[in-house]
Every structure is written in C-alpha cells, then in structure tokens.
Amino acid sequence: MDLSFVTIIDFIGTFAFAISGIRLASEKSFDLFGAFIVGMATACGGGTLRDVFLGQSPFWMTQWVYLAITAVALVAYIFFHKFINRIARTMFTFDAVGLALFTVVGFQKTLDAGFSFWAANIMGMMTGAAGGVIRDILINEVPLIFRRDIYALACAVGGVIYTLSLVYGLSDIFAQSACAVSVIFIRICAVKYHWQLPILKE
C-alpha cells in the first residue's frame, strides 16, 4: 500500500469522521451494529459519491482498511466514550478535522483522475460534506449543511486556496496543508463568532 501524504490524511480523516458519526449514534441509543453503520457512512459516504462521479470503484470496496479503521474507531469509542463525551467540543473537533482532510483528499484524487481545478473543488467539497449529510439523515437530524452554519462553504474556500497554491507553483504538501488549515480555521471561527449565511425568505 502506498502510504503517501494524501493516503495518511485520508486514514486520519476516516477515523475522525467515524468517531463523529459513532458519537452521534450513541446519543440516539443505537446498538453497536447501528453505530458502526453510521460511522462507516459518515467516513465513507462522501468519498463513495466522489468515486461514482469520477467513474471509479468506491474506494472502500477495494481496500478493506477503511472498514478496519471504522471498527477501530468504534472500539476506541467503547473504551474511551466517557473521556470523549466529557470534552464538550470533541465531536465538533473531529468533524472539523475530518471535513478538512477529506476536502484535501477529494481535491487531490480528482486532479489525479485528470479533471480540472473547478471539478476538483466541487469533488473536494462533496468528499468533505456529503458524509455528514448521510450521517445526519441516518440519525434523523436536519443535515448541518442545510442550516445556517458555514460548513460546505469552508470546503470551497479551502479548495480555492489549494488551487491558488498550485497555480503559483507551491509544493503539493504546502497546498494540501494550507487547504486543511483554512477549512478548520473557517469552521472554528464560524462556530465561535456565529458566522452564518443569510436565510432565504419567502
């Protein structure tokens, strides 16, 4: 297995998103299997849609490691749930990190498939945000992306920073890191300072 920088952050993002999904499933009193499904859907849902749009086999169907990472996340939550739940912003932190890392992965994989920067930006946003939409639907919540919080827009801004970094000849790792940091920064500021998009009125 090629443990490139993108692959490593993909694994970290998978674990982070799986934890966020499993934690919300526990709040809804799901059983272990249900929690695993929610964690898997959160971690792999966006990437699955991305691969389908790119005409590729969904990544988790050809690499068992993503199922294993979700299982490890479930076991970690079982043993450390009291510690995780005691930290008020844990779920938000894991969600923000997963969002950022998956935006990078989706962007880079789309470029690797030969598509343009604008397509990579859309696929990065989908990879980052779609898993959370599927998670919220499974636990019967209004998806976060449809509320006023800055969420998918953070992915789009990160994608623009990624694009500009590459256009100006900066290294791939710098572009990926700048994208991830910007997404996390925007999400944290959006929550802390209540940044919101205007509501569409009748």
Side-chain angles (χ1 to χ4, degrees):
M1 182 180 296
D2 178 22
L3 288 179
S4 64
F5 182 69
V6 173
T7 301
I8 292 172
I9 64 176
D10 193 19
F11 290 167
I12 297 172
T14 298
F15 182 83
F17 256 14
I19 284 286
S20 76
I22 290 167
R23 183 178 186 274
L24 288 178
S26 73
E27 291 182 355
K28 297 288 186 175
S29 299
F30 282 32
D31 62 19
L32 292 179
F33 180 74
F36 177 84
I37 294 300
V38 173
M40 185 69 183
T42 308
C44 299
T48 298
L49 290 177
R50 175 203 63 222
D51 289 347
V52 170
F53 276 105
L54 296 179
Q56 302 174 356
S57 298
F59 61 100
W60 57 269
M61 297 180 68
T62 59
Q63 301 180 65
W64 59 268
V65 67
Y66 293 95
L67 295 172
I69 291 173
T70 304
V72 170
L74 178 60
V75 172
Y77 187 80
I78 291 172
F79 284 99
F80 301 108
H81 65 278
K82 292 183 179 179
F83 171 75
I84 294 173
N85 293 336
R86 198 162 52 235
I87 304 174
R89 292 186 176 273
T90 297
M91 196 281 290
F92 165 73
T93 302
F94 277 111
D95 188 76
V97 171
L99 182 71
L101 297 182
F102 275 5
T103 299
V104 172
V105 172
F107 195 104
Q108 187 60 51
K109 286 191 174 183
T110 305
L111 289 183
D112 292 342
F115 290 90
S116 62
F117 283 120
W118 67 265
N121 203 331
I122 293 173
M123 290 298 104
M125 184 165 53
M126 178 182 294
T127 306
V133 173
I134 296 172
R135 173 199 64 208
D136 291 343
I137 291 172
L138 289 176
I139 65 173
N140 198 29
E141 293 283 350
V142 177
L144 183 61
I145 193 175
F146 299 141
R147 303 176 213 167
R148 288 182 293 173
D149 285 346
I150 302 296
Y151 193 76
L153 185 60
C155 303
V157 174
V160 170
I161 291 174
Y162 200 145
T163 300
L164 292 176
S165 298
L166 295 180
V167 167
Y168 283 99
L170 301 174
S171 68
D172 288 346
I173 292 180
F174 177 89
Q176 292 157 3
S177 300
C179 175
V181 170
S182 65
V183 173
I184 295 173
F185 176 77
I186 292 171
R187 277 295 294 147
I188 291 175
C189 288
V191 172
K192 183 175 181 179
Y193 298 109
H194 306 290
W195 292 352
Q196 297 176 336
L197 293 176
I199 298 175
L200 182 63
K201 299 181 179 179
E202 296 181 356

